[in-house]
Amino acid sequence: MAFGAISDLWFVILLTQSQKAYYGSMLPQICEMSTWAALALGAIIAVGLFAFGASLNDVLDFRHDSAFSPERPIPAGRIRMGQAIVVTTGALIMAILASVFFWDIGSILVTLLTATGILFYNAAGKHIPVMGFVTVGLVHACHMFIPNRELVFTLPVWLVMSHSMAIAMTVYVLEDKRPKMTRVTIFATAIGWLVWSAILLGAGMNREGRLLPEGTSPAGLVYPMLAVVAFVIVAWWKITGVPNRAGAEKMRRYGAMWQSWYGAAWMMTLGLTGQALLLGLLAVAGFTAMTLIKEITGTTDKPIEYRG
């Protein structure tokens, strides 16, 4: 599931290095370092933040899992609490140290802001549906600014934010969580989405005066639109006829990895075929890895869980 986070950062890194407008700006290091070094740093940051969030969730939910999910790794004794805390802390440190190598204080601050959002979500946000859904979207949007805090092409960020919020809401319903989803919850979440959509898209418009980079044809938007339609079709196909809990895990997995396809689609919109191919290969690698893991661990129709 970390493939989605990696692809988001890789998209921004590849986009930044392909745009001459960023050279000579406040981002000298990312523009001058080799592409592979920048991509490696982006992967470390993404995996670090993802591991921080996943392990923090298990640490904070220890008592709840002991009562309702005793098969989880910490309640079951497969992982000691001390080990889990070390993993949580180490993952965060790894992400912060990797951001330092971009030699931009903005990258460090955005990494810390993203980590703060993850902490808030796991400690409080996920217990209040509206706050949880909006926080999930903002965390996904925020982490895309780590490699480039001056990013002006914000449509891809908006799509990832919207996509992650939709996934979070769908999973919440499929898992039949409490409190129940109500019309008020949906309305309040929609308001939050509209406000942050206006802020994100408005920031790009304020800097550039347009939503798409100069020289880009609006016709190119057909690629990300097709990616969205394809996801809706695949998601519907995957959750139809399966138990809700299994369907929720499928939504998480496919929703996370589909972000690679979004990145490839945006690169096609910009006419960056080579970069689109790279992100497309990342998507293929992610889906291949998921298939192999399901075959090896036998979790094809079961929710993902840690195994000792």
Side-chain angles (χ1 to χ4, degrees):
M1 289 169 61
F3 275 93
I6 294 173
S7 67
D8 289 340
L9 293 192
W10 280 20
F11 167 78
V12 175
I13 290 169
L14 293 171
L15 174 65
T16 301
Q17 292 194 336
S18 69
Q19 302 292 309
K20 293 183 179 179
Y22 291 116
Y23 287 76
S25 65
M26 297 294 290
L27 309 165
Q29 188 63 22
I30 189 175
C31 293
E32 295 174 3
M33 70 169 54
S34 73
T35 299
W36 292 111
L39 293 179
L41 288 174
I44 293 172
I45 293 171
V47 172
L49 289 173
F50 184 87
F52 168 66
S55 52
L56 179 64
N57 175 72
D58 277 5
V59 169
L60 295 179
D61 283 356
F62 170 67
R63 290 187 177 180
H64 178 274
D65 290 342
S66 297
F68 300 100
S69 302
E71 75 283 357
R72 297 286 293 174
I74 299 178
R78 295 195 298 273
I79 297 177
R80 294 193 297 272
M81 178 61 77
Q83 292 174 318
I85 293 174
V86 169
V87 171
T88 304
T89 307
L92 177 59
I93 292 174
M94 180 177 73
I96 294 173
L97 286 178
S99 69
V100 170
F101 284 94
F102 281 126
W103 295 103
D104 177 27
I105 189 64
S107 296
I108 302 172
L109 292 177
V110 177
T111 302
L112 290 172
L113 182 61
T114 304
T116 301
I118 294 172
L119 176 61
F120 172 78
Y121 172 78
N122 283 283
K126 67 181 181 181
H127 303 296
I128 306 173
V130 173
M131 295 178 65
F133 301 148
V134 175
T135 301
V136 165
L138 291 179
V139 166
H140 279 79
C142 185
H143 94 285
M144 292 183 71
F145 288 97
I146 292 175
N148 183 354
R149 57 189 169 86
E150 296 186 1
L151 187 67
V152 295
F153 181 34
T154 55
L155 260 177
V157 181
W158 170 81
L159 178 58
V160 167
M161 180 190 75
S162 304
H163 174 82
S164 58
M165 289 179 66
I167 296 297
M169 295 179 71
T170 304
V171 168
Y172 191 92
V173 172
L174 289 174
E175 292 186 336
D176 195 27
K177 290 188 174 180
R178 298 293 188 274
K180 286 273 192 179
M181 185 88 74
T182 64
R183 291 182 180 179
V184 174
T185 301
I186 296 173
F187 178 76
T189 303
I191 294 298
W193 173 77
L194 287 171
V195 169
W196 285 105
S197 293
I199 292 173
L200 271 178
L201 298 178
M205 287 287 291
N206 184 54
R207 291 184 181 182
E208 290 290 298
R210 52 185 176 269
L211 288 175
L212 292 172
E214 187 176 3
T216 303
S217 171
L221 290 174
V222 69
Y223 295 109
M225 290 172 64
L226 286 174
V228 172
V229 172
F231 173 73
V232 172
I233 294 173
V234 170
W236 182 261
W237 168 47
K238 287 295 181 179
I239 66 175
T240 300
V242 301
N244 283 355
R245 188 169 177 80
E249 283 297 343
K250 288 178 182 289
M251 284 295 295
R252 285 196 183 96
R253 292 197 300 267
Y254 283 90
M257 286 186 290
W258 210 267
Q259 291 166 216
S260 300
W261 290 123
Y262 288 152
W266 285 115
M267 288 302 184
M268 291 297 295
T269 298
L270 300 173
L272 301 172
T273 308
Q275 291 87 335
L277 179 61
L278 178 58
L279 291 175
L281 290 174
L282 179 64
V284 172
F287 281 97
T288 301
M290 181 181 71
T291 301
L292 290 174
I293 289 172
K294 290 198 302 182
E295 290 297 325
I296 293 171
T297 62
T299 58
T300 303
D301 295 315
K302 300 176 183 178
I304 293 175
E305 64 177 2
Y306 292 99
R307 293 174 177 269

